[in-house]
């Protein structure tokens, strides 16, 4: 087993850790091990932002938009005065 020392932890975080450890009947050290084990054993997110947004809002449905007309030649953007 390895040893890990963490310095400069905010007092508020340390207090929350102490309270969580007490609530679970564990030492602070065991609570940290449990948190790290739980978080790091979850699979990494392998999907992109668009896929995650789609999955989140798929239940409320979507809108079918007609495809844009592609028969016209492309035009360059016009910036500034067009007069």
């Amino acid at each position: 087993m390895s040893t890990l020392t963490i310095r400069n932890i905010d007092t508020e975080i340390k207090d929350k850790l102490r309270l969580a450890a007490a609530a679970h009947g564990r030492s602070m050290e065991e609570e940290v091990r449990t948190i790290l084990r739980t978080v790091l054993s979850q699979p990494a997110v392998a999907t992109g932002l668009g896929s995650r947004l789609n999955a989140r809002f798929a239940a409320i449905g979507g809108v079918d938009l007609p495809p844009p007309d592609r028969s016209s030649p492309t035009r360059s953007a016009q910036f500034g005065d067009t007069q």
Side-chain angles (χ1 to χ4, degrees):
M1 292 284 171
S2 297
T3 301
L4 174 67
T5 302
I6 303 173
R7 293 181 177 86
N8 301 322
I9 296 202
D10 293 337
T11 304
E12 182 180 331
I13 298 296
K14 183 182 174 194
D15 291 342
K16 287 181 179 183
L17 179 62
R18 182 179 50 79
L19 291 172
H24 296 126
R26 300 189 270 245
S27 67
M28 286 176 54
E29 188 174 322
E30 182 60 29
E31 187 70 16
V32 170
R33 281 194 295 267
T34 302
I35 291 169
L36 289 173
R37 191 178 308 113
T38 301
V39 170
L40 297 177
S41 65
Q42 296 175 0
V45 176
T47 58
L49 177 62
S51 298
R52 290 187 309 222
L53 287 170
N54 184 41
R56 179 170 183 112
F57 296 107
I60 62 173
V63 176
D64 289 326
L65 299 174
D69 179 25
R70 303 269 188 221
S71 61
S72 303
T74 58
R75 297 176 292 146
S76 60
Q78 300 293 320
F79 298 104
D81 268 344
T82 56
Q83 296 178 359

